[in-house]
mmCIF file of all heavy atoms in Angstrom:
data_model
loop_
_atom_site.group_PDB
_atom_site.id
_atom_site.type_symbol
_atom_site.label_atom_id
_atom_site.label_comp_id
_atom_site.label_asym_id
_atom_site.label_seq_id
_atom_site.Cartn_x
_atom_site.Cartn_y
_atom_site.Cartn_z
ATOM 1 N N LEU A 500 20.351 16.680 8.913
ATOM 2 C CA LEU A 500 18.984 16.867 9.430
ATOM 3 C C LEU A 500 18.426 15.584 9.780
ATOM 4 O O LEU A 500 18.573 14.575 9.231
ATOM 5 C CB LEU A 500 18.220 17.548 8.272
ATOM 6 C CG LEU A 500 18.415 18.917 7.893
ATOM 7 C CD1 LEU A 500 17.734 19.365 6.641
ATOM 8 C CD2 LEU A 500 18.143 19.858 9.044
ATOM 9 N N PRO A 501 17.493 15.574 10.846
ATOM 10 C CA PRO A 501 17.016 14.290 11.503
ATOM 11 C C PRO A 501 15.767 13.796 10.634
ATOM 12 O O PRO A 501 15.087 14.470 9.898
ATOM 13 C CB PRO A 501 16.524 14.764 12.890
ATOM 14 C CG PRO A 501 16.136 16.151 12.825
ATOM 15 C CD PRO A 501 17.113 16.718 11.734
ATOM 16 N N LEU A 502 15.571 12.503 10.889
ATOM 17 C CA LEU A 502 14.426 11.757 10.207
ATOM 18 C C LEU A 502 13.567 11.437 11.574
ATOM 19 O O LEU A 502 13.859 11.559 12.699
ATOM 20 C CB LEU A 502 14.837 10.528 9.461
ATOM 21 C CG LEU A 502 15.783 10.776 8.373
ATOM 22 C CD1 LEU A 502 16.127 9.447 7.753
ATOM 23 C CD2 LEU A 502 15.147 11.647 7.285
ATOM 24 N N ASP A 503 12.384 10.762 11.177
ATOM 25 C CA ASP A 503 11.436 10.318 12.147
ATOM 26 C C ASP A 503 11.598 8.946 12.437
ATOM 27 O O ASP A 503 10.609 8.180 12.735
ATOM 28 C CB ASP A 503 10.002 10.708 11.736
ATOM 29 C CG ASP A 503 9.661 10.242 10.297
ATOM 30 O OD1 ASP A 503 10.468 9.465 9.682
ATOM 31 O OD2 ASP A 503 8.543 10.524 9.852
ATOM 32 N N LEU A 504 12.815 8.389 12.254
ATOM 33 C CA LEU A 504 13.255 7.017 12.477
ATOM 34 C C LEU A 504 14.333 6.884 13.393
ATOM 35 O O LEU A 504 15.195 7.766 13.485
ATOM 36 C CB LEU A 504 13.519 6.276 11.195
ATOM 37 C CG LEU A 504 12.462 6.127 10.188
ATOM 38 C CD1 LEU A 504 13.021 5.793 8.823
ATOM 39 C CD2 LEU A 504 11.464 5.059 10.638
ATOM 40 N N PRO A 505 14.535 5.774 14.271
ATOM 41 C CA PRO A 505 15.681 5.637 15.074
ATOM 42 C C PRO A 505 16.993 5.430 14.159
ATOM 43 O O PRO A 505 16.923 4.835 13.117
ATOM 44 C CB PRO A 505 15.324 4.330 15.945
ATOM 45 C CG PRO A 505 13.880 4.182 15.812
ATOM 46 C CD PRO A 505 13.491 4.820 14.500
ATOM 47 N N TYR A 506 18.053 5.898 14.776
ATOM 48 C CA TYR A 506 19.350 5.849 13.997
ATOM 49 C C TYR A 506 19.686 4.488 13.583
ATOM 50 O O TYR A 506 20.315 4.204 12.565
ATOM 51 C CB TYR A 506 20.532 6.574 14.708
ATOM 52 C CG TYR A 506 20.788 5.906 16.029
ATOM 53 C CD1 TYR A 506 21.645 4.788 16.129
ATOM 54 C CD2 TYR A 506 20.325 6.361 17.223
ATOM 55 C CE1 TYR A 506 22.008 4.181 17.218
ATOM 56 C CE2 TYR A 506 20.673 5.745 18.469
ATOM 57 C CZ TYR A 506 21.454 4.591 18.492
ATOM 58 O OH TYR A 506 21.832 4.034 19.665
ATOM 59 N N HIS A 507 19.348 3.393 14.419
ATOM 60 C CA HIS A 507 19.822 2.094 14.058
ATOM 61 C C HIS A 507 18.869 1.334 13.290
ATOM 62 O O HIS A 507 18.931 0.173 12.998
ATOM 63 C CB HIS A 507 20.130 1.321 15.368
ATOM 64 C CG HIS A 507 18.974 1.378 16.350
ATOM 65 N ND1 HIS A 507 18.063 0.449 16.402
ATOM 66 C CD2 HIS A 507 18.708 2.242 17.280
ATOM 67 C CE1 HIS A 507 17.119 0.724 17.416
ATOM 68 N NE2 HIS A 507 17.507 1.812 17.876
ATOM 69 N N ARG A 508 17.788 2.099 12.751
ATOM 70 C CA ARG A 508 16.840 1.377 11.920
ATOM 71 C C ARG A 508 16.683 2.024 10.425
ATOM 72 O O ARG A 508 15.747 1.704 9.739
ATOM 73 C CB ARG A 508 15.528 1.314 12.557
ATOM 74 C CG ARG A 508 15.449 0.413 13.895
ATOM 75 C CD ARG A 508 15.441 -1.015 13.273
ATOM 76 N NE ARG A 508 15.546 -1.900 14.396
ATOM 77 C CZ ARG A 508 15.467 -3.262 14.347
ATOM 78 N NH1 ARG A 508 15.418 -3.809 13.123
ATOM 79 N NH2 ARG A 508 15.617 -3.938 15.371
ATOM 80 N N ALA A 509 17.556 2.920 10.123
ATOM 81 C CA ALA A 509 17.495 3.542 8.888
ATOM 82 C C ALA A 509 18.713 3.414 8.015
ATOM 83 O O ALA A 509 19.802 3.531 8.592
ATOM 84 C CB ALA A 509 17.164 5.107 9.131
ATOM 85 N N SER A 510 18.526 3.146 6.658
ATOM 86 C CA SER A 510 19.537 3.079 5.736
ATOM 87 C C SER A 510 19.324 3.904 4.555
ATOM 88 O O SER A 510 18.188 3.737 3.958
ATOM 89 C CB SER A 510 19.738 1.542 5.285
ATOM 90 O OG SER A 510 20.044 0.796 6.474
ATOM 91 N N LEU A 511 20.208 4.738 4.136
ATOM 92 C CA LEU A 511 20.018 5.553 2.962
ATOM 93 C C LEU A 511 20.256 4.631 1.710
ATOM 94 O O LEU A 511 21.241 3.898 1.602
ATOM 95 C CB LEU A 511 20.952 6.703 2.941
ATOM 96 C CG LEU A 511 20.916 7.474 1.671
ATOM 97 C CD1 LEU A 511 19.662 8.388 1.647
ATOM 98 C CD2 LEU A 511 22.146 8.512 1.714
ATOM 99 N N ILE A 512 19.257 4.652 0.805
ATOM 100 C CA ILE A 512 19.397 3.838 -0.314
ATOM 101 C C ILE A 512 19.589 4.592 -1.682
ATOM 102 O O ILE A 512 19.962 4.113 -2.706
ATOM 103 C CB ILE A 512 18.145 2.813 -0.666
ATOM 104 C CG1 ILE A 512 16.874 3.657 -0.848
ATOM 105 C CG2 ILE A 512 18.033 1.811 0.590
ATOM 106 C CD1 ILE A 512 15.656 2.817 -1.315
ATOM 107 N N GLY A 513 19.452 5.898 -1.588
ATOM 108 C CA GLY A 513 19.689 6.753 -2.649
ATOM 109 C C GLY A 513 19.036 8.014 -2.597
ATOM 110 O O GLY A 513 18.322 8.332 -1.661
ATOM 111 N N ALA A 514 19.434 9.092 -3.566
ATOM 112 C CA ALA A 514 18.859 10.281 -3.489
ATOM 113 C C ALA A 514 18.831 10.921 -4.917
ATOM 114 O O ALA A 514 19.571 10.563 -5.805
ATOM 115 C CB ALA A 514 19.739 11.281 -2.651
ATOM 116 N N ILE A 515 17.815 11.737 -5.126
ATOM 117 C CA ILE A 515 17.779 12.576 -6.364
ATOM 118 C C ILE A 515 17.638 14.002 -5.883
ATOM 119 O O ILE A 515 17.639 14.328 -4.685
ATOM 120 C CB ILE A 515 16.561 12.231 -7.209
ATOM 121 C CG1 ILE A 515 15.266 12.343 -6.474
ATOM 122 C CG2 ILE A 515 16.716 10.773 -7.696
ATOM 123 C CD1 ILE A 515 14.069 12.000 -7.350
ATOM 124 N N ARG A 516 17.471 14.891 -6.868
ATOM 125 C CA ARG A 516 17.449 16.320 -6.455
ATOM 126 C C ARG A 516 16.291 16.607 -5.602
ATOM 127 O O ARG A 516 15.111 16.464 -5.875
ATOM 128 C CB ARG A 516 17.367 17.203 -7.745
ATOM 129 C CG ARG A 516 17.205 18.704 -7.572
ATOM 130 C CD ARG A 516 18.492 19.259 -6.853
ATOM 131 N NE ARG A 516 19.694 19.106 -7.775
ATOM 132 C CZ ARG A 516 20.836 19.592 -7.420
ATOM 133 N NH1 ARG A 516 21.032 20.341 -6.395
ATOM 134 N NH2 ARG A 516 21.893 19.484 -8.295
ATOM 135 N N GLY A 517 16.586 17.036 -4.346
ATOM 136 C CA GLY A 517 15.602 17.484 -3.337
ATOM 137 C C GLY A 517 14.912 16.407 -2.668
ATOM 138 O O GLY A 517 13.877 16.635 -1.853
ATOM 139 N N MET A 518 15.346 15.120 -2.889
ATOM 140 C CA MET A 518 14.611 14.023 -2.228
ATOM 141 C C MET A 518 15.724 13.016 -1.850
ATOM 142 O O MET A 518 16.774 12.804 -2.497
ATOM 143 C CB MET A 518 13.579 13.380 -3.159
ATOM 144 C CG MET A 518 12.399 14.234 -3.634
ATOM 145 S SD MET A 518 11.068 13.211 -4.361
ATOM 146 C CE MET A 518 10.365 12.553 -3.020
ATOM 147 N N ALA A 519 15.327 12.172 -0.748
ATOM 148 C CA ALA A 519 16.204 11.126 -0.341
ATOM 149 C C ALA A 519 15.233 9.852 0.079
ATOM 150 O O ALA A 519 14.066 10.130 0.357
ATOM 151 C CB ALA A 519 17.034 11.455 0.881
#
Side-chain angles (χ1 to χ4, degrees):
L500 289 172
L502 301 175
D503 50 9
L504 294 166
Y506 62 83
H507 51 93
R508 288 291 174 177
S510 301
L511 177 67
I512 61 172
I515 60 176
R516 177 66 61 175
M518 297 190 74

